[in-house]
Structures are given as C-alpha cells and as structure tokens.
Amino acid sequence: MIAFSGVSKQYGRQILFVDASFQLNPTEKVGLVGPNGAGKTTLFRMITGEENPDEGDVSVPKKLSIGYFRQDIEEMSGRSVLDEAIAGSGRVGNLHHELEALQQALEDPARADEMDKVLERFGEVQEEYDHLGGYALEAKTREILHGLGFDDERVDGDVGALSGGWKMRVAMARVLLGEPDVLLMDEPTNHLDIESILWLESFLKSRSGALLMTSHDRDFMNRIVTKIAEIDGGEITSYSGNYDFYERERAIRETNREAAYARQQSMLAKEQRFIERFAAHAAKAAQVQSRVKALDKIEKIELPKKRKIVKFDFRTPPRSGDQVAELLGVTKTYGTRVVHDHLNMMIRRGERWCVMGKNGAGKSTLLKMVAGAIQPDEGEVKLGASLKMGYFSQQALDVLDSDLTIEEQLRKDFPLESIGALRSLAGAFQFSGDDTDKKIRALSGGEKTRLVMARMLLDPPNFLVLDEPTNHLDLATKEMLLESLSNFEGTMLFVSHDRAFLRGLSNRVLELGGESGTDAQPHLYPGSYIEYVQRTGHEAPGVHA
C-alpha cells in the first residue's frame, strides 16, 4: 500500500533517514516509535506529500485517502462544533455544506431567476450526498464528538469559544469522520481524558483501514497496534507485535548483537595478532596478505545504541502529621452547576488517592481547593500539621521564567546546590548536554512539564497534589517519574489519564459523579486502582471494560 524504498532525508547536519525502507499494508495497525527528533513527524509528512525524500522513493497509491491528525491545528471560529467537525470530514462534509447553501438559495427571493439552475444542482448534490451516507452524517458526527467528551451543549456551541485542547478534539473528530483508507495519528491521547482514550481505543480497534500512529501511552499502544516501526539512527526497523513485545524483542536483539560484537572483536584481535606476528616472515607473507584482505572485506558489527537513562536519587521528604487534609462539607458551584455538594473526605499520611470522574465531575476543581488555589463556596478544607505541599497543574508551567535557560532556572531556584547535582537532576528528566542551555520560551509543553516536575522533586514536599502530570511526557520520562514516585514516602492526591500511573501509584480511589454523572454521590474506594477496576468492572466511570 504505502512503501518507503531506500529513503534518505536530512536537514542541514541533522540526518533523519539513511537508505531506510518501510511498508504499511492494508488493515495494518502500526505504532511508530523512536527518540525525540528521530523523524516520526517527517515520516508522516512524506506520506502526505508535504515533504519529499532527498533520495529514494515514497510510494503512495493515487486513489488512497489519507487522514492526518497532527498536534498543530489551524484557527477555528464562526461555526458550531458540529459544523466544524463535518466541514473537514472530506467529500461528504463538503456536500453537506453545499446542500445547506443551496437550501438557503432556494429560499432567497432575490435569486428567483436562478431557480432552475439551483434546483438542478440541488438534485445532483442530494443524490451524491445520499449515496455517500450523508443523511446519517450528523448522527455519526454527534456520536464521535460524544465519544471524545463533548456534551450536546458544547456540540451545538461556538467552536471559537473552545480552549486549544478542545479544538484538538474537534480536529480529531474531523479526521475520524472522514473514514480514510489510512489514518495517521500523531500523539492522539495528548489532550484526552481517560474516558475519551478508552472510547478512541474501541473506535480504532474496530476500524478496517490502516493505522500508523505515535503515542506515549503504553496501554493505548498495546491494545491497538500489532506491529511496531522503530526509527533510530536513520533506520526503520519493524517488529511484529505490540509495544511490550517490541521492548522484549529489542532487548533480545541488543543482547544478541552485543554477543556477536564480542565474538567478532575476539576474532579480529586474534587475526590482528597473527598479522603482526608474521608480517616480517617471508614464508608467511602469502598467508598474512590473505588474512589482511579477508579482514578488509568483513562487515564490522557495531554495538547497539543504548538509550541513556540517568538515575537520580530523589531525597526523602520530611514527615507530615497523620491527618494530611480533611474536606468538611465542601460545596462548589459554577453558575447553576453544582460541581461538589457537601463533600466529606479524609486524606491520611501515606495514602495515594487517584481521582476519577467524567468531564465536568470536578476533578481539577477538587485539587485546586485542596491546594488553596480556589476556595469552596461552603465548607472547609483543613490541612494537617508539618505539611509541605507540592501542587502541579498545567498552570504551574507559568512559574518558569521564559527569559532564562534550563540551567539558569535551576540555579536560580536552588542557589546552594552544586552544578553537578543540578545537571544530574536535569539529566534524569531527559535534559542532557546542550539541552540545559535552551531558553525556556523555546521549550515544548512536554519539556516545560518535565522541568517543573524536576524542580518539585529536587526538594520534595510530603504532600503531592498532581493534576495530569504525565501530559506530553514521553514513555521514558513517564517510566522514570513513575519509578521515582512509587518510592515516594509522602502522601499523594492526583488526577491522571495514564493507566500505568494509576496502577503503579494509587492505593485509594475517589470516584466523582459515579454512573449518573455529576449528580451522583462520590464513592471512596479503600483500595488501589487495580482493585477498583476488578470491583466495578470499568476502567473509568461509566466506561465498561
């Protein structure tokens, strides 16, 4: 279907692909992996024709329809969310809007002299629209938008009033609605909550077309893909299996290659000793020359590239009192909407509460009240003795000084720490070498998240309040953070859409809204997320496993 053959590509001195080959077959679901900057987005852009290879061929059949969900979205305004989703959905979306325009023309007295022409075109468009299933389009669009977390009020509301994250969901709905032969998805879970991720999982698994995607969500990748394509060192290597299989197989291949390298090095050293020993012996001259020629022809095995993971020993936080936080009759409303209604909850030392709930159930609001960022309308949030709180939210990124470099920010925050300790901390969060000289204004959302988490954990609090700490983090950083936090000796209250995080960290679950949405009473489960899933039969409120 889509084939890369002997593709080479570079930008200036940065070499992305060297004689790389890859094939995406019909119905295949492939996960695209590789370090940051390896060329994943460039590969997508070569498939869509936005980029061309420097050498080699990218073969894409002309009649193949391609849908591409990307992280950068164009401006959206002037339409309802429903119309915006339909507008970008391909041919049937164009016909939908042409039909609407023709309907208005038929009702316009000023265009009475064009009526025959308009009627003729209306009939043509209507016939094609019906043939393509257009009359089911609105219902289908609503179904997809609901799956991505929109309620009816938002679906019919102004798309221009949405935040960037919600506009990303509209862009995704457009791509899914178009039902392309090949779906390209660049980090589709970045702006989704767990309920929407679970819906998208189900949707993508049921699709018959081909899928090529990147994702930093291990569970999402494992449940969907049956093949992994790894970009590393200019090459594309395929693995038949999901992400867990790829990791195991890659480790086996690395071990085998290291063993083959060691054997070859031993053989080369032995041959070199023979050559050096008998180079001056006339009787052995023919043998020496023969071996020199043989060595020149041998293809040298290179050691596999090791992903550098920097370990950092995070310090032990000071001990807090037994009662960390207590919510007494806490009520919070926004306009006529009651988000929390006389909520009572006790958080004790060593507990790790994950907060679950559908969109609008009040997860972030709860964390903000506990952190003191907002006040309840009624009731009280009482914090315990000897408490040192660390609060992370997407707004926490604003604490960074955009004019400073990463190293300057860390030195400003921790003037008494050695440069070695600060660089080791930066390395643990995937900032190595020249990365620490980057200006903060030039960092991506994920890089800023890593820096804020690094600052928080160098001088660790004993009560961590974390609102979606894994947003935009790559798998390597997530796993490092998960390992660090699993050894954290304090108390935690957190919201996350990453199931590895939920499984690895929680020992208590607060479910807001329950099965009936925001009107239902919250449920406090005295066990881990794993036990919660086993007990309730769902991975998120209202989404059944």
Side-chain angles (χ1 to χ4, degrees):
M1 183 190 279
I2 293 175
F4 282 59
S5 180
V7 166
S8 296
K9 182 74 176 176
Q10 70 181 82
Y11 297 111
R13 293 181 179 178
Q14 186 187 14
I15 297 171
L16 296 180
F17 298 101
V18 181
D19 196 25
S21 296
F22 166 68
Q23 188 163 313
L24 178 66
N25 299 311
T27 75
E28 272 188 335
K29 291 180 171 58
V30 181
L32 187 62
V33 302
N36 287 335
K40 299 187 289 293
T41 301
T42 301
L43 185 140
F44 282 147
R45 289 169 66 85
M46 285 195 284
I47 290 173
T48 60
E50 295 167 64
E51 297 262 3
N52 294 310
D54 298 334
E55 295 176 18
D57 295 306
V58 177
S59 171
V60 180
K62 284 186 179 177
K63 290 188 177 179
L64 199 71
S65 59
I66 296 173
Y68 181 19
F69 171 75
R70 62 183 88 207
Q71 287 299 307
D72 52 323
I73 53 167
E74 71 277 13
E75 185 52 42
M76 297 180 186
S77 61
R79 287 186 174 124
S80 69
V81 167
L82 181 74
D83 277 348
E84 186 67 40
I86 289 172
S89 64
R91 178 65 181 157
V92 70
N94 295 338
L95 293 170
H96 174 86
H97 288 290
E98 189 177 353
L99 270 182
E100 286 187 337
L102 290 167
Q103 187 73 50
Q104 288 172 1
L106 288 171
E107 296 167 3
D108 185 355
R111 299 183 65 178
D113 57 335
E114 301 175 56
M115 208 52 65
D116 289 346
K117 187 177 174 184
V118 172
L119 271 170
E120 183 183 354
R121 179 59 186 158
F122 187 88
E124 292 169 358
V125 173
Q126 192 175 43
E127 184 180 355
E128 186 182 356
Y129 186 68
D130 187 31
H131 177 68
L132 292 174
Y135 287 103
L137 185 63
E138 182 173 327
K140 186 179 172 187
T141 307
R142 285 185 182 276
E143 182 185 339
I144 289 174
L145 288 168
H146 288 156
L148 292 174
F150 289 89
D151 55 24
D152 282 324
E153 186 179 344
R154 264 192 168 137
V155 168
D156 296 316
D158 177 11
V159 70
L162 298 179
S163 66
W166 283 96
K167 284 180 178 176
M168 293 290 277
R169 297 188 192 210
V170 177
M172 187 181 297
R174 288 198 308 210
V175 174
L176 298 179
L177 195 58
E179 294 189 349
D181 300 321
V182 176
L183 190 53
L184 308 178
M185 304 200 85
D186 187 8
E187 296 296 343
T189 63
N190 263 1
H191 294 275
L192 301 184
D193 51 38
I194 189 168
E195 293 78 20
S196 300
I197 290 171
L198 290 166
W199 176 86
L200 183 59
E201 249 174 38
S202 175
F203 184 94
L204 293 178
K205 279 196 287 190
S206 67
R207 275 190 87 251
S208 57
L211 170 70
L212 180 65
M213 71 170 185
T214 63
S215 178
H216 291 153
D217 186 321
R218 177 187 287 268
D219 285 58
F220 186 74
M221 191 92 87
N222 274 335
R223 295 186 188 192
I224 294 171
V225 307
T226 54
K227 180 177 172 181
I228 295 288
E230 179 192 48
I231 305 176
D232 202 4
E235 298 178 348
I236 305 174
T237 308
S238 294
Y239 296 79
S240 296
N242 64 10
Y243 189 83
D244 284 349
F245 174 84
Y246 150 74
E247 275 202 325
R248 291 193 301 270
E249 183 64 21
R250 190 180 197 275
I252 291 167
R253 291 187 192 185
E254 281 187 354
T255 302
N256 290 342
R257 193 164 167 184
E258 285 168 357
Y261 174 83
R263 287 195 300 272
Q264 188 181 70
Q265 289 298 305
S266 175
M267 181 273 290
L268 292 174
K270 184 178 177 183
E271 291 297 291
Q272 194 61 40
R273 285 196 301 272
F274 179 91
I275 291 165
E276 289 169 1
R277 183 177 175 187
F278 296 109
H281 288 61
K284 299 276 189 180
Q287 276 184 276
V288 168
Q289 285 304 310
S290 174
R291 293 196 183 196
V292 168
K293 288 177 183 176
L295 286 184
D296 287 341
K297 290 178 182 176
I298 289 175
E299 187 175 337
K300 304 296 188 292
I301 297 170
E302 292 182 11
L303 275 174
K305 300 176 188 72
K306 287 285 187 183
R307 301 268 168 83
K308 195 175 178 185
I309 304 296
V310 179
K311 292 288 184 184
F312 188 83
D313 293 325
F314 293 101
R315 295 159 190 170
T316 302
R319 184 183 174 92
S320 71
D322 285 342
Q323 294 188 357
V324 172
E326 186 176 13
L327 284 75
L328 297 165
V330 165
T331 297
K332 187 68 182 176
T333 60
Y334 290 105
T336 57
R337 191 164 67 91
V338 180
V339 180
H340 295 288
D341 186 12
H342 294 91
L343 174 63
N344 294 300
M345 180 184 182
M346 172 69 78
I347 301 172
R348 295 181 170 81
R349 189 180 74 245
E351 291 181 338
R352 298 171 172 197
W353 286 90
C354 69
V355 184
M356 311 290 295
K358 295 180 181 179
N359 275 318
K363 302 185 293 292
S364 293
T365 300
L366 174 69
L367 268 58
K368 284 176 183 174
M369 289 191 293
V370 171
I374 59 173
Q375 297 301 314
D377 298 329
E378 294 178 32
E380 184 183 6
V381 177
K382 293 173 66 176
L383 299 179
S386 306
L387 207 62
K388 180 183 175 186
M389 185 189 296
Y391 172 49
F392 175 86
S393 70
Q394 295 308 303
Q395 287 70 45
L397 306 185
D398 297 337
V399 303
L400 301 173
D401 186 336
S402 61
D403 293 327
L404 300 179
T405 66
I406 291 171
E407 186 172 311
E408 287 167 349
Q409 178 79 58
L410 292 174
R411 289 173 69 174
K412 176 187 171 186
D413 295 330
F414 305 104
L416 302 180
E417 291 291 338
S418 71
I419 294 298
L422 294 180
R423 285 184 178 163
S424 177
L425 172 74
F429 282 86
Q430 312 296 303
F431 296 116
S432 57
D434 294 341
D435 288 345
T436 57
D437 295 328
K438 278 186 182 177
K439 288 279 189 186
I440 284 167
R441 70 163 61 90
L443 300 182
S444 67
E447 287 172 322
K448 287 178 181 175
T449 296
R450 294 190 335 239
L451 183 54
V452 170
M453 293 299 296
R455 293 168 74 251
M456 188 182 294
L457 292 177
L458 178 63
D459 183 22
N462 51 29
F463 182 31
L464 281 175
V465 179
L466 307 174
D467 192 357
E468 297 286 9
T470 61
N471 268 5
H472 308 292
L473 295 185
D474 60 35
L475 273 165
T477 312
K478 274 187 191 178
E479 287 168 7
M480 182 281 298
L481 187 59
L482 179 56
E483 185 180 343
S484 300
L485 292 178
S486 63
N487 297 318
F488 174 69
E489 294 181 14
T491 306
M492 291 176 65
L493 177 69
F494 68 98
V495 174
S496 177
H497 63 235
D498 190 283
R499 282 157 288 176
F501 237 66
L502 294 167
R503 286 194 301 270
L505 294 180
S506 69
N507 58 25
R508 299 285 186 278
V509 178
L510 170 63
E511 182 185 298
L512 298 173
E515 291 288 344
S516 307
T518 52
D519 295 331
Q521 287 300 306
H523 295 288
L524 288 79
Y525 291 85
S528 68
Y529 174 73
I530 295 170
E531 294 168 305
Y532 162 84
V533 173
Q534 291 170 343
R535 185 171 164 184
T536 63
H538 57 234
E539 293 183 285
V543 183
H544 290 273

